[in-house]
Amino acid sequence: MNLTFYGSAKEVTGSLILVKTNKYKFLVDCGFFQGDDNDYYRNKKDFDFNVKDIDFVLLTHAHIDHCGRLPLMIKNGYKNKIYSTQATKDIVNYILLDAVLVMQNNWKHFRRPAFYTQDEVFKTMDRFETHPYYQTFSPKNDIFITFKNAGHILGASILEINVNEDNQTHKLVFTGDVGNTLTTIIKPTDFINGCDTLVIESTYGNKTHKGVDRRKNDLYNVIHKTVKSGGSVLIPAFSIERTEEILYDLNDLINADKLQNIPIYLDSPLSKNILTVYKKHTDLFNDVAIKKIKQGDDIFNFPDFTIIEDTIQSLKVINDRQPKVILAGSGMLTGGRIINYLPIYLTQKNNTIIFISYQAKNTIGEKLLQGRKTIMIEGKKIKAKCNVTQISAYSSHADKRKLHSFVKNIKHPSPKTIFINHGDVDQSSGFKQELTKHSKAKLIIPDPGKNYSI
Ligand SMILES: [Zn+2]
């Protein structure tokens, strides 16, 4: 059996792994590569293998860097199945349709043609077959797959794969993305008993999240201080999990009689859709969230909360000067409705922008966090005078401590080979160094495109 990683640590991040057994070929994830200005060309490019030879695809979760290129497979003639959980499928539908909208915008602004269509997204969705967590299924003879809960975003899976060949069983585990220690809505990460080969992500393989247990209080303090001084709070938020977690915490703060009479807006068509998927899959929520719902608490809704329906309503909110909280996409200020707020809200010194997620290099978000005062937004120079702050404990990724304890818990048997995948070089090599101290496994940071026999 062998594994080939595409778009791993040394090039850019993005998940696409080809697994070849004696009889079959399958993919784990088929995501967009994200890293630099060449992403468009990298993602548009043909696959390095014939998609018609692939027997099936396993999808760990719905983030675009794991599912973004699926329609391109369909476009190139892939006719077989894509396996995931139902929640992942429901979110992927909205994520891929949103990707088409972003590509159509890119055509308008940069004359870069879209490389798949809405119709190809619909055809992609027709290829899905869903399975719940913990129920083993067998897409081909001698291959047995179980989805476990990754605790990362709704529906995200860790894949346990048993392959019978040459009279023995080889157990592979692909973590996809591993969730943070505190999951306010979904159930926490399942630990894995044992495996022969482990493929683990390393997004924060060399970083510790600080203040996870006080993040709600940090959020309250920033909002309270800003509103008291007559300002508004802008929260750029990713649509999956992060938006829901912030709404959940705001609901808690309001139930605790904090943050009274402050209008709170969600201005993101994608987040609005994803919120409906979360409301459909409450069976995946943790005990605390389920208890609140049973007691009659609508955990994503509270007084003075408005979901913005259209751009006219959005414009009204932008021009309204009373103190408020606005949650809007995109999380890295690379597009979305948040862009319309920036020219006004960044220039007022009593406002605050709170970053709750990772800001990639060269994004407006990263520049603001570095203290840059003059930034360009859609060709216009803006003087940033507002407060800029960050609460990184809202990450939906495990930090190095959690990743390390995840590996340590795999004991029966402990893995012989560990591939440290899906992270910037400093994160994956930092994690490798840490693991060297505790694990006897062969540790590999895979080179993109290279075959590894296991
Ligand atoms: Zn993810």
Side-chain angles (χ1 to χ4, degrees):
M1 194 160 27
N2 68 58
L3 305 181
T4 312
F5 297 79
Y6 296 96
S8 64
K10 288 176 188 170
E11 191 186 2
V12 284
T13 58
S15 187
L16 204 178
I17 306 163
L18 172 64
V19 184
K20 287 185 205 161
T21 71
N22 284 350
K23 287 192 230 160
Y24 304 110
K25 286 181 189 156
F26 63 92
L27 295 186
V28 173
D29 291 338
C30 188
F32 272 163
F33 300 141
Q34 296 176 319
D36 58 32
D37 291 344
N38 290 321
D39 288 349
Y40 170 79
Y41 300 98
R42 227 178 245 128
N43 287 320
K44 188 182 172 209
K45 206 175 140 243
D46 280 347
F47 293 95
D48 291 341
F49 46 85
N50 187 348
V51 299
K52 290 177 185 163
D53 292 343
I54 303 296
D55 293 292
F56 58 94
V57 177
L58 302 169
L59 183 60
T60 60
H61 66 287
H63 274 145
I64 196 78
D65 57 332
H66 293 256
C67 72
R69 295 182 88 204
L70 286 171
L72 212 56
M73 286 194 68
I74 304 297
K75 187 179 176 176
N76 289 333
Y78 178 69
K79 297 258 185 312
N80 294 326
K81 284 183 178 161
I82 301 164
Y83 296 97
S84 77
T85 61
Q86 182 65 45
T88 293
K89 179 189 172 185
D90 292 346
I91 300 175
V92 167
N93 180 37
Y94 291 122
I95 292 293
L96 294 180
L97 288 173
D98 188 67
V100 173
L101 286 180
V102 171
M103 285 195 267
Q104 286 169 349
N105 262 334
N106 277 342
W107 168 246
K108 271 189 223 151
H109 295 302
F110 309 110
R111 292 286 154 209
R112 286 172 168 177
F115 45 84
Y116 55 77
T117 63
Q118 206 178 53
D119 194 44
E120 277 148 358
V121 171
F122 295 142
K123 284 181 183 149
T124 305
M125 298 320 298
D126 288 342
R127 306 312 318 149
F128 271 76
E129 180 178 309
T130 62
H131 291 271
Y133 291 136
Y134 317 117
Q135 287 186 17
T136 304
F137 62 98
S138 176
K140 292 283 171 194
N141 281 343
D142 299 323
I143 299 182
F144 301 90
I145 292 155
T146 314
F147 294 142
K148 293 275 177 79
N149 175 31
H152 169 56
I153 60 168
L154 192 81
S157 302
I158 294 169
L159 312 179
E160 278 190 328
I161 306 176
N162 281 295
V163 179
N164 295 337
E165 62 182 21
D166 303 329
N167 295 322
Q168 53 184 0
T169 303
H170 191 109
K171 186 170 169 188
L172 292 138
V173 167
F174 293 84
T175 64
D177 287 348
V178 182
N180 202 342
T181 36
L182 180 66
T183 51
T184 39
I185 304 165
I186 56 171
K187 292 186 172 81
T189 312
D190 287 329
F191 284 98
I192 300 295
N193 243 334
C195 68
D196 300 300
T197 301
L198 172 69
V199 178
I200 188 163
E201 66 123 335
S202 58
T203 311
Y204 290 116
N206 201 21
K207 196 180 169 230
T208 307
H209 299 317
K210 289 195 184 89
V212 174
D213 46 356
R214 52 152 219 272
R215 66 189 184 188
K216 183 165 58 181
N217 218 25
D218 290 348
L219 180 70
Y220 165 71
N221 286 335
V222 177
I223 295 174
H224 180 68
K225 197 175 157 198
T226 305
V227 169
K228 218 172 136 193
S229 72
S232 289
V233 174
L234 213 51
I235 310 177
F238 287 110
S239 298
I240 321 174
E241 202 73 19
R242 231 68 62 86
T243 292
E244 288 73 19
E245 288 199 331
I246 296 284
L247 289 179
Y248 184 96
D249 279 358
L250 289 172
N251 178 59
D252 265 3
L253 291 168
I254 285 159
N255 283 346
D257 286 336
K258 293 175 166 183
L259 302 183
Q260 294 299 317
N261 306 318
I262 302 165
I264 296 172
Y265 296 96
L266 175 63
D267 194 356
S268 160
L270 180 61
S271 297
K272 187 184 147 198
N273 287 329
I274 301 228
L275 205 52
T276 64
V277 181
Y278 269 75
K279 287 177 180 173
K280 181 182 158 191
H281 292 283
T282 50
D283 55 312
L284 303 177
F285 290 6
N286 62 38
D287 294 345
V288 179
I290 287 172
K291 195 174 164 197
K292 282 183 187 174
I293 295 169
K294 278 191 180 150
Q295 286 170 343
D297 186 2
D298 186 349
I299 57 172
F300 300 125
N301 199 8
F302 34 83
D304 302 312
F305 175 55
T306 309
I307 297 179
I308 292 178
E309 294 296 330
D310 51 41
T311 44
I312 296 166
Q313 197 185 1
S314 180
L315 273 176
K316 246 189 204 166
V317 174
I318 291 171
N319 291 314
D320 162 31
R321 297 302 165 95
Q322 69 164 321
K324 57 186 154 320
V325 175
I326 302 136
L327 266 150
S330 73
M332 289 194 209
L333 310 184
T334 47
R337 293 257 178 95
I338 193 111
I339 295 294
N340 305 331
Y341 287 84
L342 300 180
I344 297 175
Y345 285 72
L346 291 187
T347 56
Q348 294 165 351
K349 68 175 190 313
N350 49 359
N351 291 341
T352 303
I353 184 163
I354 312 177
F355 290 101
I356 52 165
S357 34
Y358 169 76
Q359 302 297 304
K361 285 189 180 107
N362 297 320
T363 54
I364 298 171
E366 196 225 8
K367 287 171 189 161
L368 285 170
L369 275 174
Q370 282 176 342
R372 196 87 73 82
K373 295 292 176 205
T374 306
I375 49 166
M376 298 294 286
I377 296 167
E378 295 188 327
K380 282 187 199 135
K381 227 183 234 179
I382 305 288
K383 289 257 180 228
K385 293 180 188 156
C386 72
N387 306 296
V388 178
T389 186
Q390 187 171 32
I391 309 177
S392 60
Y394 274 104
S395 172
S396 54
H397 279 271
D399 64 0
K400 70 174 182 184
R401 286 176 307 186
K402 167 102 183 256
L403 289 174
H404 193 254
S405 73
F406 181 86
V407 175
K408 225 168 80 183
N409 270 282
I410 309 177
K411 289 178 189 160
H412 308 291
S414 33
K416 289 185 256 323
T417 310
I418 301 177
F419 291 96
I420 300 162
N421 189 40
H422 199 48
D424 291 339
V425 182
D426 53 334
Q427 298 299 322
S428 48
S429 49
F431 187 47
K432 185 180 172 184
Q433 231 168 28
E434 185 65 26
L435 275 184
T436 311
K437 296 180 205 158
H438 309 276
S439 171
K440 291 191 180 81
K442 190 174 171 193
L443 304 172
I444 301 168
I445 298 172
D447 281 321
K450 190 174 157 185
N451 280 353
Y452 292 89
S453 292
I454 50 170

